[in-house]
Amino acid sequence: QVQLVESGGGSVQAGGSLRLSCTASRSTSRMGWFRQAPGKGREGVAAVGSDGSTNYQDSAKGRFTISRDYVLNRMYLQMNSLKPEDTAMYYCAADLHWGIGSLDDRTYVYWGQGTQVTVSS
């Protein structure tokens, strides 16, 4: 069993930055960040595979950076140049199986409770 706790969400103006953190209760393999806006489905934002390779949703490329600290069992999402359409609840997800960083939420077994990101124009 893995517990995931997100932090770092908040309210910012368009063009601003936020850094999300996800702390896992133990080491994991693949991890990812997902988000869900009101009235919309959950979508993958960025993911990191077992080998450290990264994968980004097109809208996140060039603006967001995913990273991991394997010693602290943490994952981060640095979000720059935020836009109002980035407003959503952001979730951390993890899996214990070896593989690439997938943006498909069916890949992941463990989920955090989410942290809210609100970007105003």
Side-chain angles (χ1 to χ4, degrees), residues 27-48:
S27 60
T28 59
S29 186
R30 299 174 287 189
M31 296 189 77
W33 286 101
F34 290 77
R35 67 186 181 188
Q36 187 166 19
K40 295 187 177 182
R42 187 163 57 188
E43 61 177 0
V45 177
V48 55

Side-chain angles (χ1 to χ4, degrees), residues 3-101:
Q3 283 76 49
L4 302 172
V5 178
E6 303 98 334
S7 62
S11 297
V12 296
Q13 290 191 325
S17 299
L18 283 173
R19 188 192 194 206
L20 305 184
S21 298
C22 172
T23 301
S25 59
R26 52 158 290 182
S27 60
T28 59
S29 186
R30 299 174 287 189
M31 296 189 77
W33 286 101
F34 290 77
R35 67 186 181 188
Q36 187 166 19
K40 295 187 177 182
R42 187 163 57 188
E43 61 177 0
V45 177
V48 55
S50 307
D51 61 353
S53 59
T54 57
N55 191 13
Y56 293 92
Q57 182 195 86
D58 285 347
S59 68
K61 290 178 181 177
R63 299 190 299 129
F64 295 0
T65 303
I66 190 171
S67 61
R68 292 183 70 171
D69 184 325
Y70 292 91
V71 174
L72 297 178
N73 292 330
R74 285 182 185 164
M75 177 178 65
Y76 304 97
L77 185 67
Q78 177 67 43
M79 305 188 294
N80 299 326
S81 303
L82 283 162
K83 304 174 182 180
E85 50 264 44
D86 294 318
T87 295
M89 184 71 78
Y90 283 69
Y91 298 91
C92 167
D95 181 60
L96 300 179
H97 294 92
W98 183 270
I100 63 170

Side-chain angles (χ1 to χ4, degrees), residues 92-116:
C92 167
D95 181 60
L96 300 179
H97 294 92
W98 183 270
I100 63 170
S102 174
L103 297 179
D104 185 340
D105 61 0
R106 294 170 296 179
T107 300
Y108 302 93
V109 175
Y110 305 103
W111 292 84
Q113 293 300 306
T115 185
Q116 178 68 38

